Amino acid sequence: VVWMNREVRRRAAWRAVIGMIAVVTGMALAPLAHGWVRYPGAQTHSGIGLATAQPQVAIDSQDRARIVWTRFSGGIQRIQTTRIGANGVQGAVQDLSAAGQNAQQPQLAIDSQDRAAVVWRRFDGAVYRAQSRRIGAGGALGAVNTLSVMGEDAFDPQVAVDTQDRAAVVWRRFTADAVIDWRRISAGGIPGPEDVMSSAG
């Protein structure tokens, strides 16, 4: 009887061990079965010792992440960007807005050719102006385009791309009333005429 009790306990203990192994193995393999990828811990992309804000991200057709943000350094806010490969390797950090005046509120969209259209607002010394810039699939920077009219503040720029890779940019313009303006940018990066979408008043 004593031997039988010991044998029962031994078998119960082994069943418990085997059950624990099965649970742990199942937890480890479940993400793979569902196509999940286990990423390492958080990575710093903007540089150590630099105050940053307003991050935005978009994914291209090759699963690369394009990130933009506002960086504060030396008393000036600038818009910066980097791209992270599908394998997690980061490219170089690039400045998008010009030095000398504050820039903020970046937004971005990616077209079918993996080119990014980025918009933000930048102070010109008197008011904030809506600006845009294209980034090529290989990371080459296009020209900076100022989209909003001189002398009137622009707020909250937004951007989206259509099936022909044209970017539509909208922003809030403050005159006597706040109105919504918009402008289309060609696939080649050339802005069309500015137009008012909302009614005054």
Side-chain angles (χ1 to χ4, degrees):
V1 173
V2 173
W3 179 87
M4 290 181 63
N5 288 340
R6 288 177 179 173
E7 184 66 15
V8 169
R9 288 197 297 270
R10 185 181 68 82
R11 290 179 180 178
W14 272 111
R15 284 196 297 269
V17 170
I18 292 172
M20 289 293 294
I21 293 173
V23 169
V24 172
T25 303
M27 292 175 64
L29 295 180
L32 300 179
H34 291 82
W36 300 344
V37 177
R38 289 187 179 273
Y39 288 99
Q43 302 175 46
T44 300
H45 301 297
S46 58
I48 301 298
L50 301 175
T52 58
Q54 303 169 333
Q56 301 289 322
V57 63
I59 306 296
D60 68 16
S61 66
Q62 299 183 53
D63 294 333
R64 299 173 299 191
R66 170 66 64 181
I67 305 173
V68 296
W69 63 87
T70 301
R71 189 203 80 187
F72 186 83
S73 180
I76 296 296
Q77 293 173 301
R78 296 187 69 181
I79 307 303
Q80 291 189 319
T81 185
T82 191
R83 187 166 65 188
I84 303 171
N87 59 357
V89 177
Q90 178 182 337
V93 173
Q94 298 170 291
D95 292 318
L96 296 181
S97 62
Q101 297 287 1
N102 283 324
Q104 54 190 224
Q105 298 180 342
Q107 297 286 323
L108 79 159
I110 294 180
D111 68 18
S112 66
Q113 303 300 313
D114 295 335
R115 297 171 297 195
V118 185
V119 298
W120 62 87
R121 69 176 196 147
R122 181 178 181 273
F123 195 63
D124 68 0
V127 297
Y128 276 93
R129 309 276 300 279
Q131 293 188 323
S132 71
R133 195 166 195 177
R134 285 274 190 169
I135 307 173
L141 300 180
V144 175
N145 294 305
T146 300
L147 305 178
S148 58
V149 298
M150 185 180 297
E152 297 177 349
D153 271 315
F155 299 87
D156 308 319
Q158 301 285 325
V159 62
V161 295
D162 63 18
T163 58
Q164 299 181 51
D165 294 333
R166 299 172 300 186
V169 183
V170 298
W171 63 91
R172 183 167 58 94
R173 176 171 57 91
F174 187 79
T175 56
D177 299 301
V179 297
I180 304 300
D181 283 359
W182 86 291
R183 205 162 182 179
R184 175 165 276 161
I185 303 173
S186 72
I190 301 173
E194 183 179 354
D195 198 5
V196 179
M197 299 183 70
S198 62
S199 300

